[in-house]
Amino acid sequence: MPVRVAFVGAGGIANAHMRALSQIEDARMVAFCDIDQARASAAAGTYGGKPYAELGAMLDAERPDAAYVCLPPHAHVGQEEELARRGIPFFVEKPIANTLERATTILEAVRMADLVTSVGYHWRYMACTRMARERLEGKTIGMALGYWLGGMPGVHWWRRMDMSAGQMVEQTTHIVDLARYLCGEIVEVYAAMTTRALADVEDFTVTDVGTMTAKFASGALGSFSNTCLLKGFGYTVGLHVVTPDIVVEVESSRCRALTAAGEEVAPPDGNPTVEEDRAFVRAVATGDRAGILSPYEDALRTLAVTLAANRSARNGRPERP
């Protein structure tokens, strides 16, 4: 029997997961809940199932096997706890919340229910990331250099600090999480953030440039820089890891390993969203969580690092996640 999936939030990134699930034989989308009924109805019309305006009504009527929570950071206001109360495994998009208090409360509910969970850090599922982990195995990592240098997303909530918590939390979180996955835990950060070009944008309360220096538990150092001030184009997104023997560059479309002998480039990648969704569906169907590379508890550690960067930028001091 296919895993019956419901969506909490049917806009934005939810569409990528709908497309991915439509390619997975063991999954069937049965319901879509959104405050915008047009979005819920459009998803139902495309993939089958029914649209809903209220979460409880959808869960009562459909009794899904699993749910996808695809909401902006500020909009996590009890949906995960309701799913946990009903024992429904869930996949949630990053960032999992915009405060550590909110995420910790959700984690407590997840633990109480012993739920299968997965978080949308799809970089972990890329073939080039697998190559990077293999090439870095046993190496002494000296430093990790991460970048998210592009333009400002168009959704209104992204430019509001009280909603998105800023670029380091909402966007660069992918690169911070990738660094944790490849290099180990981050134990201290020091950050500076400011606005250089977008002060005249209406309702803009985040910053448009920022840099975080990080210390890893291993002793390695990291630097993570982001900007959203580029107009009409993107520049670079990725992570470079430096060791005495090899430098590994992981970007959204490739991985390159450089040594004294030359360079190695990973073969073309598949669709990591399909891979992370397939792993989640398989875990729900079988109870085997081994294929899930980013469960909720692990993702909370990434959130803690990026929120510590925000604190450091505000108070001018190093902060521990």
Side-chain angles (χ1 to χ4, degrees):
M1 293 289 289
V3 172
R4 301 172 69 256
V5 176
F7 272 80
V8 184
I13 192 63
N15 292 283
H17 291 292
M18 293 173 199
R19 290 191 295 271
L21 288 168
S22 71
Q23 302 174 49
I24 298 172
E25 290 184 359
D26 294 333
R28 180 162 66 94
M29 290 170 276
V30 299
F32 307 87
C33 180
D34 199 291
I35 58 173
D36 183 338
Q37 275 293 277
R39 285 198 300 233
S41 296
T46 301
Y47 298 104
K50 297 179 181 179
Y52 289 86
E54 199 275 322
L55 175 62
M58 178 179 73
L59 299 180
D60 287 341
E62 302 296 338
R63 300 187 180 276
D65 302 315
Y68 274 67
V69 181
C70 299
L71 301 170
H74 67 283
H76 296 263
V77 291
Q79 299 91 340
E80 291 93 336
E81 289 96 326
E82 180 63 17
L83 292 168
R85 187 181 71 79
R86 295 171 183 252
I88 299 173
F90 64 81
F91 181 109
V92 59
E93 260 302 332
K94 47 50 63 184
I96 53 178
N98 63 358
T99 70
L100 201 58
E101 293 77 13
R102 183 86 276 275
T104 301
T105 298
I106 294 169
L107 177 60
E108 290 171 355
V110 166
R111 285 173 169 169
M112 286 285 291
D114 191 26
L115 279 188
V116 172
T117 60
S118 184
V119 177
Y121 284 112
H122 66 272
W123 287 66
R124 293 190 177 209
Y125 295 83
M126 290 164 47
C128 64
T129 300
R130 290 194 294 274
M131 175 182 138
R133 277 173 65 91
E134 291 169 1
R135 300 301 178 269
L136 291 170
E137 180 69 30
K139 305 297 184 185
T140 299
I141 294 173
M143 64 193 312
L145 308 173
Y147 309 93
W148 195 296
L149 310 178
M152 185 178 68
V155 288
H156 77 281
W157 54 262
W158 197 92
R159 68 189 69 144
R160 291 271 304 271
M161 195 69 178
D162 62 327
M163 293 183 172
S164 70
Q167 189 174 13
M168 193 71 73
V169 171
E170 205 288 321
Q171 208 169 45
T172 315
T173 182
H174 276 298
I175 306 306
V176 174
D177 186 77
L178 181 63
R180 287 187 53 246
Y181 189 57
L182 295 178
C183 307
E185 294 300 337
I186 293 171
V187 296
E188 186 176 86
V189 302
Y190 179 71
M193 303 175 188
T194 191
T195 296
R196 297 289 298 156
L198 301 181
D200 59 343
V201 173
E202 183 180 1
D203 215 18
F204 188 88
T205 61
V206 296
T207 57
D208 62 18
V209 292
T211 294
M212 173 179 74
T213 299
K215 293 181 181 179
F216 290 85
S218 67
L221 299 180
S223 176
F224 302 86
S225 294
N226 56 220
T227 185
C228 60
L229 58 69
L230 301 183
K231 296 182 178 179
F233 69 103
Y235 174 43
T236 188
V237 176
L239 180 74
H240 299 175
V241 182
V242 182
T243 83
D245 308 298
I246 188 170
V247 174
V248 173
E249 300 175 349
V250 182
E251 298 173 359
S252 57
S253 59
R254 71 164 190 172
C255 176
R256 186 168 69 138
L258 298 94
T259 67
E263 71 173 38
E264 176 187 8
V265 178
D269 214 340
N271 185 332
T273 302
V274 172
E275 294 308 312
E276 69 178 351
D277 288 349
R278 181 175 285 116
F280 174 63
V281 169
R282 184 181 299 119
V284 173
T286 66
D288 182 357
R289 309 180 190 191
I292 293 178
L293 303 182
S294 181
Y296 196 93
E297 184 167 1
D298 189 89
L300 191 148
R301 298 190 187 107
T302 295
L303 177 67
V305 171
T306 56
L307 288 172
N310 282 356
R311 294 197 306 274
S312 177
R314 286 196 302 269
N315 62 36
R317 300 189 303 269
E319 288 280 345
R320 295 182 68 82

